[in-house]
Amino acid sequence: MSDNNKGFQKEEAPKTVQGAQGPTSAWKRLLAKKWVFPATYVAAAAIILTLMWVYQGAGTNTVSLEEPGLKVSSSEQTDNPKAPTDGALAVNGTTEAMQWPVKDRAAVEVAIPYYDTNASNDVKAAAMIEYLDQLTPHTAIDLKAKDGAAFDVLAALGGKVTAVEQSPVVGKLVEITHSNGLISIYQSLSDVKVTKGAEVKKGDIIAKAGTNDFEKEDGVHLHFEIRQVSDNAAVNPENLLNVKQ
């Protein structure tokens, strides 16, 4: 019996060891395949990219709802009746119209026009200033009273006085910067009534018309100029003035 038992144990023991090593050997054979690791990497990358796409999509939707100018739900419109619903950005206030820088438009005339490159040759010739034997295109309009008298100069738009100067060429000067990206410049002044840094409203009296050397032939007049804040480019004032006033 003892010999039989020993023989049985010798036969069964290897089977037990072999059975325990079976799954491990299968994994080793699987991992030995060259395509296993690349396939696993691609699958993991696909899962990560999918999760990132879902997360970013949720974040975009959240931000978009908070952007101004987008349509909102009916409940949000009830809570915020001023929320725009046409897709346009909200604008605070209205654009102020520019007025002529004089009390009575009918009492003054344009003595020297703005130099417009698209105007006729006669108009362009009239808009040239001769100073020190040089011809210079006129970047403003000169306003002169029909009776030649001095007149009050008004702020064409509300804004902040950003310069008050005295020049030997253009005379006394006032510059007003406006919130719409424009600057109005008033030259050939006398009796200036504003100071640098002051806030003025449209129609406020800022000075009286006077004289200067640059446009001496005009006598008493106002040199009225408009420029853009962004690039300092001159703009034809008559294209901006409110002709109804």
Side-chain angles (χ1 to χ4, degrees):
M1 287 292 292
S2 60
D3 293 337
N4 291 335
N5 289 336
K6 292 180 180 179
F8 176 78
Q9 290 176 356
K10 290 180 180 179
E11 292 178 358
E12 293 298 330
K15 290 183 180 179
T16 303
V17 173
Q18 183 178 1
Q21 292 179 348
T24 303
S25 299
W27 276 106
K28 288 183 177 180
R29 287 196 299 271
L30 177 64
L31 295 176
K33 302 293 184 179
K34 294 182 178 181
W35 54 266
V36 172
F37 284 106
T40 304
Y41 176 80
V42 171
I47 294 173
I48 293 173
L49 289 175
T50 302
L51 292 175
M52 292 178 62
W53 177 80
V54 172
Y55 176 79
Q56 290 179 351
T60 302
N61 291 337
T62 301
V63 173
S64 297
L65 290 176
E66 296 177 353
E67 290 179 352
L70 296 180
K71 295 184 178 180
V72 296
S73 64
S74 57
S75 61
E76 289 172 328
Q77 289 179 359
T78 302
D79 296 336
N80 183 15
K82 294 183 179 180
T85 59
D86 58 355
L89 294 176
V91 178
N92 295 327
T94 57
T95 303
E96 187 178 28
M98 181 180 292
Q99 73 166 44
W100 286 83
V102 295
K103 287 184 178 180
D104 185 4
R105 170 68 182 90
V108 299
E109 61 185 358
V110 177
I112 303 179
Y114 176 89
Y115 184 89
D116 187 348
T117 56
N118 296 321
S120 65
N121 291 334
D122 291 340
V123 174
K124 287 191 288 187
M128 298 294 293
I129 303 296
E130 184 176 357
Y131 182 73
L132 298 179
D133 297 328
Q134 292 184 350
L135 291 175
T136 303
H138 198 228
T139 57
I141 58 173
D142 282 3
L143 299 177
K144 183 177 181 179
K146 294 179 179 179
D147 60 3
F151 53 89
D152 289 334
V153 176
L154 313 182
L157 281 175
K160 183 176 182 179
V161 178
T162 47
V164 176
E165 301 174 359
Q166 171 71 55
S167 167
V169 178
V170 301
K172 292 182 179 180
L173 172 153
V174 170
E175 175 189 279
I176 302 176
T177 300
H178 310 286
S179 60
N180 61 355
L182 297 176
I183 299 174
S184 57
I185 302 170
Y186 312 78
Q187 297 176 2
S188 186
L189 302 176
S190 66
D191 192 18
V192 175
K193 300 182 181 301
V194 295
T195 58
K196 183 178 180 180
E199 294 286 342
V200 297
K201 297 180 296 183
K202 182 174 72 172
D204 284 352
I205 298 175
I206 61 174
K208 283 187 173 295
T211 60
N212 65 12
D213 286 342
F214 187 61
E215 300 140 330
K216 182 180 292 186
E217 295 182 358
D218 268 359
V220 176
H221 71 281
L222 166 66
H223 173 104
F224 179 59
E225 187 169 341
I226 300 293
R227 290 186 176 272
Q228 298 181 133
V229 174
S230 59
D231 56 6
N232 200 40
V235 179
N236 188 346
E238 292 193 77
N239 291 340
L240 301 174
L241 290 168
N242 186 351
V243 296
K244 293 182 180 180
Q245 296 186 12

